[in-house]
Amino acid sequence: MIYLDNGATSFPKPGPVRRAVQEALLTCANPGRGGYEAALQAAETVFTCRERAAALFDCRPEQVVFTLNATHALNMAIHTLVQPGDRVVISGFEHNAVTRPLHGLGADILVAGRRLFDWEDTLSQWEKALKRKPKAAIFTHVSNVFGYILPAEALAALCRRYQVPFIIDAAQSAGMLPLSLRKLGADFIAMPGHKGLLGPQGTGILLCGRTPDPILRGGTGSESKNQEMPDFLPDRGEAGTLNVPGIAGLSAGLALVTGTGVERIFRREAGEAAFCARGLRNLGYRVFTGPNQSGTVSFLPNQDCETAASRLAELGIACRAGLHCAPLAHESAGTLATGTVRLSFGHSCSRQESREFLRRMGGNFPGGSCKKTVNCYCHPEGDTV
């Protein structure tokens, strides 16, 4: 199988991640709930992961709150900053993990910056929206549909200038692009553990620039007499038993990302996305690509997107079609009625697989005929990028 759905989850999980999960299942009990060896081993495993995340994202270990996933993290952050009816500014490329909680709160949502791959438009529209004095701002770092890398540092600077608290959705950037909680000055940065950080599903992180309001309440192993949640991090955001095997796997994933380097990871993934985008254009497909693009690219086949993705699955290619839980992004790009086929590259991507994907696209789909035979991006012996 050629796996091109890393925007959904990284797959297959690296060997060190798999082994770390298994080791935790054999050696770890409940952290913070006992002084015996298995409980202490669990506590050490969790704290090591917290330290690795803090080192990668330039924050203190206690600012790393473990969550179930990025959606859980975003909900905690949103419910901390946004009250029912508040005005909130968001980008035109947000995921339902942002828009649905806001709709649930009845927020007055301002959508700012809807042109793909256009930093000038994004920044100018955001400044106009921030002048309207919203109570909070939320923006994705990278569009999960189109791979558009938003100007996170400049957007963060605008939010700080206008004194608007803000949240960054790093679901598609954590582990691929540099992220510093300290430098960005974000109130919260939310991310999954199972995508670019290579950890298991069921793991996530909320980086906390301020203390969050919990959306779950329960045991923490601390201040048990107090019927309010502890007022300190990370305990305030971590009610109940943590997913210790998942956190162990996430810790191994963080070590791999740190050892490889996010710059190197980005070059590899974005390089394969650009290679396939060129090949798809040569085959006659409409491809959504431009400057400031990550390792994700969407295209429109010459047939229904879901049908095309099913055919690709039959050909041994795993990708995703439809709206990708981000109808706002498709509305911004003009693809709400059709959706797109999305290719998202990850840690195991290779030029060999990219060429094989293009070869199969060229011979198995309507209009998929290459107009060149040599030095072509869609030819198995074509040039490299």
Side-chain angles (χ1 to χ4, degrees), residues 7-331:
T9 193
S10 56
F11 180 87
K13 302 300 178 184
V17 173
R18 300 195 302 269
R19 290 191 291 273
V21 172
Q22 185 176 30
E23 181 68 15
L25 288 169
L26 294 172
T27 62
C28 292
N30 211 343
R33 269 67 165 183
Y36 51 92
E37 184 177 353
L40 294 175
Q41 179 62 40
E44 182 179 347
T45 297
V46 169
F47 188 67
T48 296
C49 186
R50 222 184 286 279
E51 286 187 310
R52 287 174 174 171
L56 183 60
F57 301 118
D58 192 19
C59 64
R60 300 188 305 275
E62 64 268 21
Q63 293 177 289
V64 177
V65 168
F66 292 118
T67 61
L68 300 173
N69 44 48
T71 299
H72 177 198
L74 283 165
N75 270 265
M76 195 186 310
I78 289 168
H79 281 82
T80 300
L81 297 184
V82 182
Q83 299 299 313
D86 279 354
R87 176 173 292 168
V88 181
V89 58
I90 65 174
S91 84
F93 302 96
E94 299 307 313
H95 191 277
N96 279 343
V98 168
T99 58
R100 283 179 171 173
L102 292 177
H103 279 283
L105 287 165
D108 174 16
I109 301 172
L110 304 179
V111 181
R114 308 196 70 164
R115 294 181 183 173
L116 269 175
F117 311 115
D118 188 338
W119 278 16
E120 184 177 351
D121 174 71
T122 297
L123 291 171
S124 65
Q125 294 302 312
W126 264 72
E127 183 154 24
K128 289 179 183 178
L130 290 170
K131 288 178 178 178
R132 296 179 63 181
K133 299 182 179 179
K135 293 293 182 66
I138 309 168
F139 60 88
T140 186
H141 194 179
V142 176
S143 166
N144 72 305
V145 180
F146 301 104
Y148 171 34
I149 303 170
L150 277 70
E153 291 185 4
L155 289 172
L158 281 174
C159 290
R160 295 196 305 269
R161 183 194 307 169
Y162 288 96
Q163 299 183 319
V164 176
F166 66 100
I167 300 164
I168 301 175
D169 177 1
Q172 301 294 325
S173 64
M176 183 192 65
L177 291 172
L179 272 171
S180 167
L181 179 66
R182 179 181 58 84
K183 291 179 181 178
L184 290 166
D187 292 82
F188 298 103
I189 302 177
M191 63 190 69
H194 67 98
K195 297 186 183 184
L197 300 181
L198 307 179
Q201 290 99 325
T203 59
I205 290 174
L206 182 65
L207 304 178
C208 298
R210 68 161 68 189
T211 302
D213 291 336
I215 57 174
L216 292 175
R217 290 170 167 80
T220 58
S222 61
E223 295 194 349
S224 293
K225 287 184 179 180
N226 186 359
Q227 290 306 290
E228 297 292 333
M229 287 292 287
D231 61 1
F232 55 86
L233 290 170
D235 294 41
R236 187 164 179 79
E238 293 181 350
T241 297
L242 294 173
N243 176 10
V244 177
I247 290 170
L250 174 56
S251 184
L254 285 162
L256 289 170
V257 169
T258 300
T260 304
V262 292
E263 294 84 1
R264 183 179 176 187
I265 291 169
F266 173 78
R267 286 196 303 269
R268 182 179 184 182
E269 296 179 5
E272 293 310 310
F275 181 87
C276 285
R278 290 183 176 94
L280 288 166
R281 282 202 306 268
N282 284 338
L283 288 168
Y285 301 113
R286 183 185 176 192
V287 185
F288 295 87
T289 187
N292 309 309
Q293 189 163 18
S294 69
T296 293
V297 61
S298 272
F299 70 99
L300 288 176
N302 298 319
Q303 62 185 128
D304 175 74
C305 288
E306 298 284 0
T307 302
S310 295
R311 176 60 177 149
L312 284 169
E314 293 172 0
L315 295 171
I317 297 167
C319 61
R320 185 174 175 185
L323 298 181
H324 314 94
C325 299
L328 180 62
H330 284 280
E331 184 180 285

